[in-house]
Every structure is written in structure tokens, then in C-alpha cells.
Amino acid sequence: MWRTNPPALVTMINKNKGNRAGSEAQYGPRLAGEILHQYLQNSDDDLAVAFRHHQTAAEADISQRLFRDLFPDTHLGVDLKVISRTPGRMHVGANINCMLTRDSEFHFTAMETASEMKQAAERRNPIVYQGTCINVHRKADGSIYPTFNRPLFTAAYTFRDFCREAAEELRLVSGLGGESD
């Protein structure tokens, strides 16, 4: 996978794992964002060089803040009530998208959001015929109606040309209405 040696990021992470008593200051526990930032700014790997080449000043500021806006918060001895859209208990390792609410000092409620459960909405007034000058739509009651497209008029394509083409398309789709002549 690598040409000769593993990338510098892997080397830096491996150095971080081997904490020795005398080297705590240099290789002690650090935030993942600090390690990633150091790799991207100081490494000669192709990925880091390409990142520095395409990076703007605003992006440089963002990369220094990677993983710094996450704050772990552990609550011991609290009750958690999960309200989900499926009956029964959650399986081990299952995830749900939910809204977490702190109800009181020692009680939280997690309510599953409906984003995953939304049904695909039926398109309102679907297009039955799509042409260059007109479209024909069908209402919920089954009736149909035409709409005109907005053309781009030029010296070679005038309003008169559009009307001729629209009339031809209207004549073509006149049989969709179901009425006889």
C-alpha cells in the first residue's frame, strides 16, 4: 500500500502510543486534532503537501480547531427514557437519531426523530407530457392541464416561432384529455 514507509501520521500516532516516563512532555496524551494538525502542517507525505497546497487562510484556522468543539459529559446514576418508533428494546449496538432532553437533575428523555421514518411523498400534479414548449400536468382528481415553458428568445427564435411550436405540441397532446372530437 505504501511505497516505502508508512505515512507520517501513522508514525506520529505510534509514537504517541509508546508513552515512556521521561518523554511524557513530547509524546504524552494529546487531542486527535493536534496530531492531525501537526501531521498536515509538518509532514512531507503527498497527502499533507496536497492539503497545504490547496488550503486557504480560513481553512487553516478551521484545521487547527479540529475535534476541539466536542465536549464529553458523563452523567452517573441518571434515568434515561428512550421513546422510539419501533416496539421493544433496542438491539445492542443499534443507533437512532434522537433529540435528548434533560427533564430534571437525574432524568433524561431521548425521543427518536422522524427523519428516517418519512415516507416518500407523492409528487403533486405530476407531469404527464414534457415538451419543449408545453408541459401537461395531471391533478389529483385526474384532470389534466397544460403549462407553457419560458423560452429564451433570440433574433433567430422569436415569439412567433414559439407560438407555432406550442400550437404543434398542443395539437399533439390534445388526445390526452379523453374527449372525442
Side-chain angles (χ1 to χ4, degrees):
M1 185 160 83
W2 296 300
R3 285 171 274 174
T4 54
N5 296 327
L9 180 60
V10 175
T11 307
M12 292 166 76
I13 291 172
N14 289 337
K15 283 182 183 176
N16 233 8
K17 286 181 182 176
N19 287 341
R20 288 178 235 116
S23 63
E24 184 75 24
Q26 185 178 4
Y27 299 116
R30 296 187 297 165
L31 295 174
E34 290 176 14
I35 297 170
L36 185 58
H37 176 69
Q38 181 183 353
Y39 162 72
L40 291 173
Q41 297 306 320
N42 302 328
S43 176
D44 292 330
D45 279 351
D46 296 338
L47 175 67
V49 171
F51 178 81
R52 285 193 304 268
H53 178 68
H54 292 289
Q55 188 179 34
T56 64
E59 291 170 340
D61 180 50
I62 291 171
S63 71
Q64 292 178 10
R65 293 184 289 132
L66 286 173
F67 303 108
R68 291 186 187 238
D69 295 334
L70 300 176
F71 305 101
D73 189 14
T74 304
H75 294 272
L76 300 174
V78 298
D79 293 325
L80 174 64
K81 183 178 196 172
V82 178
I83 302 172
S84 69
R85 298 188 175 275
T86 55
R89 300 181 82 180
M90 287 178 58
H91 298 290
V92 175
N95 295 316
I96 61 169
N97 289 333
C98 66
M99 178 179 65
L100 185 65
T101 306
R102 186 172 188 172
D103 300 331
S104 67
E105 184 65 28
F106 298 106
H107 190 270
F108 291 84
T109 301
M111 184 175 295
E112 184 175 5
T113 58
S115 63
E116 298 169 353
M117 305 301 283
K118 286 184 179 176
Q119 298 285 334
E122 185 178 328
R123 190 170 170 198
R124 196 178 97 183
N125 299 345
I127 295 176
V128 177
Y129 170 80
Q130 187 169 9
T132 56
C133 297
I134 66 165
N135 293 334
V136 178
H137 298 263
R138 184 178 307 277
K139 290 183 183 179
D141 65 359
S143 62
I144 59 172
Y145 64 95
T147 58
F148 289 96
N149 296 332
R150 295 182 180 153
L152 179 63
F153 295 121
T154 62
Y157 187 75
T158 63
F159 179 71
R160 180 174 288 193
D161 298 325
F162 174 75
C163 289
R164 278 192 204 117
E165 289 181 17
E168 287 296 320
E169 285 187 21
L170 284 169
R171 216 175 290 136
L172 178 72
V173 298
S174 63
L176 293 176
E179 299 101 17
S180 60
D181 290 335

